[in-house]
Amino acid sequence: MIEVVGHTGGSEYKAAVEFKDALEVLWPKLARAPNNIDHVIISANVKISGYKVGDIDLVIAGKLSNDYSIRSKRVIKDKSGREHFNATFLVKNFVVAVEVKDHPDRGVQCIGDDIQVFYSTGAKRGWSSATEQNVKQLHSLKSFFADQNIKNIFVDRCVLMRGLSILDSPGAIPGGFTGTDFFSSLAALSKVDRIGGNLSLNACANEDMNQVLNTSIFKTTVPTKLDRRRMDLIVGDSKEVRRIVETLGQKTVILRGQGGSGKTIMLLQAAHELYRRDGMRTLILTYNHALAADIRRLLALLGVASGSYEGGVHVQTVMSFMYNCFRYFGLFENNTKLTYEKYLEQCKNCLELIEGGALPQEEVQQIIAAHPDALAFNNIMVDEGQDWPDDEASLLKALFGAKHLCVADGIDQLMRGGARTHWSDTTDRENSEIIYLESCLRMKRNLCDFVLHVSTTSNVDWVLKPNTKAGGGRVFVLNGSYASYPEKHHQLLKHAKEDGNAEIDFLLCVPYTTVMTTRGVKSSSLTEWLGKEGFKCWNGLDDKIRKDFPRSKDQFRVVQYQSCRGLEGWVVVLEYLDEFWRHRYQERIAEGLTPAEEMGFVDIEEVAIRYAWTQVIMAMSRPIDTLVITLKDANSELGQVIQKIALSKSDYIEIL
């Protein structure tokens, strides 16, 4: 059996089909074989998050019985170093990272075994080594499998030059290739096994290959109705996006709006348009791992590239990106681990080196040019930029220039620190463009009405205009854990599926008090309950799982409240919201007053209460259709406020 999976658009998928056709011509019986005996999967446009190279054009893996052999067109070596001419070898199993290029012969040069191609657009223009890129893909793929506990595996590589008709280079094949060309190329580059007088191509043990074929990169990510709505928004057009695209490169662009105003989608719209129109490469930075994973999933569904030469959109957490900068600038060794305090200190040190001339701009640009995959970008977009440390923000400006920055600035959405970041101060205000977002683009009208009532009651300014084009919306208030209401859960899932949505469109937020660690993996009482009920989860509580995006639409997303900013769901469950309020209140009390607050004779109690309500309202702005609030203590301050509003809005709010 031969399967082709992955995003169906672009040259990568066409190349995947070409490989499938070549294998079927080589071995006609392979297409008819049951997948428990002979199984090949060709995955197009593969995205793996958190590795040096996140995009791989094709990953081809297969396990075969003893009936598949090749007479090599190339000289091959066995593992003892002995050469074999015109030799026949068995193909047992294989894993291959394939780089696909469409360049014509005038855009290609071969220097020894190094194949280079020319780019006229993108963040890094000029000649680029396709061979080097393929080697990086190989190592990233091997690291990905190691993280899946598949460590004893040999990953092959191959460059497909579709624009060439003739190519004589190891690890590469031309357009119009045959299955024999492909496997001869693999065998010529790697050393084959010699078992009992027979030569064979093996990547790993058969049991490991079964595990390889079951990894997430060989599963097609199917969009839900909500995914398609968000995808349509990204490829759409708006006056705000036109302003961003027209202004970037001339001024810093600041999107200012409250939770639910669509800041994240607007960043993605602008980044996609810059890629589509000009072939630019944009870096989107956030400190929220769950949000980074969510954005990567959307971009994977759209098939958007992220390479330094091809252009596209690359998503990374800010600490990970800055860590790469520090490493490439030679400020510490590869394996150095930074605490958050040490990280902030390193930001300050790096900024001082640049501003003091010890790390001049010329040298910075040379380092960026030497590491294009990690550092070369036309534009930088910062999501949830309202409470970055100022040194962190200033360093980003110093490295890439303030005119190439677009910042989503959330009003009253501070989470990381107590002071708003100065992306635009009085000295450079004329060099910035502020775009105010005043409408609620996410929530249906009733949900917006509910949040407006909560904000009014708690004296928090949340003044988005309701979306009059999206009527409806429901709120449920539960006394006790969501896990105590299984019938309600099944009902909500049933209604969501009737609307064309799926489990992935649920977002469940939990307080830290419900998080536990079992055998090194973080989980919560809700994830445990969902598992016992037979449901699957994308466990965004765990650092390792949060590194990758959800690959299946039948997974419920579970995150801590601190990770919910920028996320959305058709149905959002806020577990023990009063616990979250209480924790935020106590946290702010412990911090004490800032110098500015002390000068204003502000009462710490009032500050802490307002801060806690601000965080709660941010979480309440995550749903599109249905909001579920659970209370640990119905008599808590938050519980009383919510229930009072619910009683006055019984037409769309239900207390259970």
Side-chain angles (χ1 to χ4, degrees):
M1 180 180 182
I2 308 174
E3 290 184 79
V4 176
V5 300
H7 184 72
T8 57
S11 62
E12 294 87 359
Y13 193 83
K14 292 177 183 176
V17 173
E18 289 171 11
F19 273 100
K20 179 177 183 291
D21 293 343
L23 293 182
E24 287 181 344
V25 170
L26 177 64
W27 296 315
K29 63 181 179 180
L30 176 58
R32 302 187 300 270
N35 63 9
N36 63 323
I37 303 297
D38 303 315
H39 194 191
V40 175
I41 306 180
I42 306 166
S43 186
N45 207 348
V46 173
K47 308 284 186 184
I48 51 175
S49 306
Y51 301 91
K52 287 186 178 179
V53 176
D55 281 9
I56 307 176
D57 292 340
L58 301 178
V59 178
I60 306 176
K63 62 171 186 178
L64 304 175
S65 56
N66 291 323
D67 300 329
Y68 298 92
S69 61
I70 292 289
R71 182 174 292 277
S72 178
K73 288 184 175 182
R74 297 174 181 259
V75 177
I76 60 176
K77 289 183 179 181
D78 61 32
K79 290 188 175 176
S80 67
R82 180 182 174 186
E83 291 187 338
H84 300 269
F85 301 87
N86 200 29
T88 298
F89 63 92
L90 289 172
V91 180
K92 297 291 292 179
N93 54 56
F94 53 93
V95 180
V96 191
V98 181
E99 173 76 349
V100 179
K101 298 297 182 188
D102 290 317
H103 294 71
D105 53 2
R106 290 187 179 180
V108 180
Q109 62 181 16
C110 294
I111 303 174
D113 293 336
D114 184 25
I115 303 171
Q116 297 188 351
V117 294
F118 188 81
Y119 289 96
S120 58
T121 61
K124 180 66 178 163
R125 300 174 183 176
W127 290 99
S128 167
S129 173
T131 303
E132 182 183 346
Q133 181 72 3
N134 198 207
V135 171
K136 291 178 182 177
Q137 292 169 341
L138 179 157
H139 289 300
S140 290
L141 190 58
K142 188 162 177 134
S143 296
F144 169 81
F145 288 130
D147 284 343
Q148 311 297 312
N149 294 317
I150 310 169
K151 302 185 188 299
N152 297 317
I153 185 169
F154 184 86
V155 178
D156 271 304
R157 63 178 179 85
C158 179
V159 178
L160 169 58
M161 302 298 300
R162 298 177 76 211
L164 304 184
S165 56
I166 299 174
L167 182 62
D168 184 19
S169 181
I173 53 178
F177 66 93
T178 66
T180 300
D181 293 331
F182 173 54
F183 285 108
S184 295
S185 173
L186 300 185
L189 199 61
S190 60
K191 293 181 179 179
V192 296
D193 288 321
R194 187 178 182 89
I195 304 172
N198 295 317
L199 300 175
S200 65
L201 186 68
N202 299 281
C204 59
N206 280 336
E207 54 269 25
D208 288 332
M209 183 53 62
N210 288 329
Q211 194 175 346
V212 166
L213 293 173
N214 278 320
T215 56
S216 59
I217 62 172
F218 293 110
K219 298 185 184 342
T220 298
T221 306
V222 180
T224 66
K225 182 179 177 180
L226 179 55
D227 288 326
R228 293 201 177 278
R229 168 186 169 274
R230 298 170 75 197
M231 291 160 67
D232 288 342
L233 283 172
I234 291 171
V235 300
D237 188 26
S238 71
K239 62 181 181 181
E240 290 87 0
V241 171
R242 287 194 293 274
R243 282 179 67 186
I244 296 171
V245 171
E246 290 166 3
T247 306
L248 264 179
Q250 303 175 50
K251 296 181 178 182
T252 300
V253 180
I254 299 176
L255 300 177
R256 189 154 290 164
Q258 292 173 309
S261 58
K263 298 183 295 296
T264 302
I265 284 291
M266 211 161 286
L267 291 182
L268 291 172
Q269 284 178 317
H272 183 269
E273 177 62 14
L274 289 164
Y275 163 58
R276 185 195 65 80
R277 193 187 72 174
D278 301 319
M280 289 189 177
R281 188 188 191 209
T282 298
L283 171 65
I284 295 182
L285 290 176
T286 175
Y287 64 84
N288 185 342
H289 288 266
L291 177 58
D294 187 64
I295 295 173
R296 290 187 189 113
R297 181 173 181 273
L298 270 179
L299 295 174
L301 289 170
L302 282 166
V304 176
S306 69
S308 56
Y309 287 88
E310 298 91 341
V313 185
H314 182 73
V315 185
Q316 203 166 352
T317 59
V318 61
M319 286 186 67
S320 173
F321 175 70
M322 289 298 189
Y323 184 95
N324 281 339
C325 291
F326 300 150
R327 187 160 53 89
Y328 292 130
F329 293 158
L331 300 183
F332 54 63
E333 299 296 326
N334 281 358
N335 296 324
T336 303
K337 293 185 178 180
L338 294 178
T339 63
Y340 184 61
E341 290 71 23
K342 287 287 186 183
Y343 164 75
L344 294 179
E345 183 181 319
Q346 198 65 262
C347 284
K348 183 177 181 180
N349 292 341
C350 188
L351 183 61
E352 289 175 349
L353 288 174
I354 294 172
E355 292 179 339
L359 185 60
Q361 274 298 326
E362 182 180 348
E363 187 176 340
V364 168
Q365 295 309 311
Q366 288 174 351
I367 294 170
I368 290 174
H371 303 92
D373 289 322
L375 302 178
F377 300 96
N378 300 105
N379 303 293
I380 311 293
M381 294 187 175
V382 174
D383 201 18
E384 305 294 354
Q386 57 272 9
D387 53 351
W388 279 38
D390 281 332
D391 284 340
E392 197 178 52
S394 297
L395 180 56
L396 202 61
K397 291 181 188 179
L399 291 173
F400 296 97
K403 294 180 180 181
H404 298 283
L405 293 180
C406 180
V407 181
D409 183 11
I411 299 171
D412 279 335
Q413 287 184 265
L414 299 178
M415 183 75 81
R416 255 171 128 195
R420 180 167 296 280
T421 308
H422 295 106
W423 291 99
S424 174
D425 57 31
T426 53
T427 62
D428 66 0
R429 192 156 293 172
E430 64 180 21
N431 293 318
S432 63
E433 178 93 358
I434 300 178
I435 301 174
Y436 293 96
L437 307 176
E438 299 178 341
S439 296
C440 181
L441 299 182
R442 175 184 299 126
M443 294 181 287
K444 289 187 175 181
R445 183 172 50 80
N446 288 341
L447 297 181
C448 189
D449 178 71
F450 172 69
V451 177
L452 282 169
H453 274 79
V454 174
S455 66
T456 301
T457 304
S458 58
N459 295 315
V460 173
D461 294 328
W462 192 86
V463 291
L464 288 183
K465 298 174 184 176
N467 186 353
T468 57
K469 295 181 180 179
R474 301 173 298 167
V475 179
F476 296 97
V477 180
L478 313 182
N479 287 310
S481 173
Y482 184 66
S484 302
Y485 297 83
E487 290 185 7
K488 175 55 67 177
H489 173 70
H490 285 276
Q491 183 187 69
L492 291 174
L493 179 58
K494 177 176 176 289
H495 290 161
K497 289 191 171 184
E498 288 172 352
D499 288 327
N501 298 294
E503 288 87 345
I504 193 69
D505 300 316
F506 279 64
L507 178 67
L508 295 87
C509 305
V510 301
Y512 85 99
T513 51
T514 68
V515 177
M516 61 193 82
T517 301
T518 306
R519 293 186 294 276
V521 177
K522 289 182 181 178
S523 64
S524 75
S525 52
L526 272 192
T527 55
E528 298 287 324
W529 171 72
L530 287 166
K532 289 176 183 176
E533 290 288 308
F535 294 109
K536 299 176 183 177
C537 283
W538 179 75
N539 180 16
L541 307 171
D542 188 75
D543 297 338
K544 192 171 182 180
I545 294 171
R546 203 166 57 228
K547 189 176 178 181
D548 193 20
F549 57 84
R551 300 275 178 168
S552 172
K553 69 177 185 179
D554 64 353
Q555 294 175 293
F556 289 96
R557 291 173 295 155
V558 182
V559 300
Q560 280 197 67
Y561 279 104
Q562 289 90 329
S563 296
C564 76
R565 274 203 323 192
L567 300 177
E568 65 180 9
W570 185 257
V571 177
V572 171
V573 177
L574 303 181
E575 176 82 340
Y576 291 158
L577 187 59
D578 52 329
E579 278 279 281
F580 176 59
W581 188 100
R582 182 179 62 83
H583 171 60
R584 282 314 200 187
Y585 166 79
Q586 292 174 342
E587 179 184 66
R588 191 64 186 85
I589 288 285
E591 288 177 0
L593 294 174
T594 65
E597 288 167 342
E598 287 178 349
M599 290 179 65
F601 301 101
V602 178
D603 180 65
I604 185 61
E605 178 80 7
E606 293 177 4
V607 170
I609 289 174
R610 187 182 187 281
Y611 176 73
W613 278 112
T614 298
Q615 300 304 301
V616 161
I617 288 170
M618 178 271 295
M620 286 180 176
S621 68
R622 303 301 99 199
I624 296 171
D625 178 80
T626 303
L627 173 63
V628 179
I629 294 171
T630 80
L631 302 173
K632 188 171 185 180
D633 179 6
N635 294 317
S636 63
E637 179 169 339
L638 179 137
Q640 292 182 53
V641 169
I642 296 298
Q643 290 178 100
K644 184 177 179 180
I645 294 173
L647 291 172
S648 69
K649 297 285 181 181
S650 58
D651 49 342
Y652 67 84
I653 305 177
E654 184 178 347
I655 301 177
L656 299 180

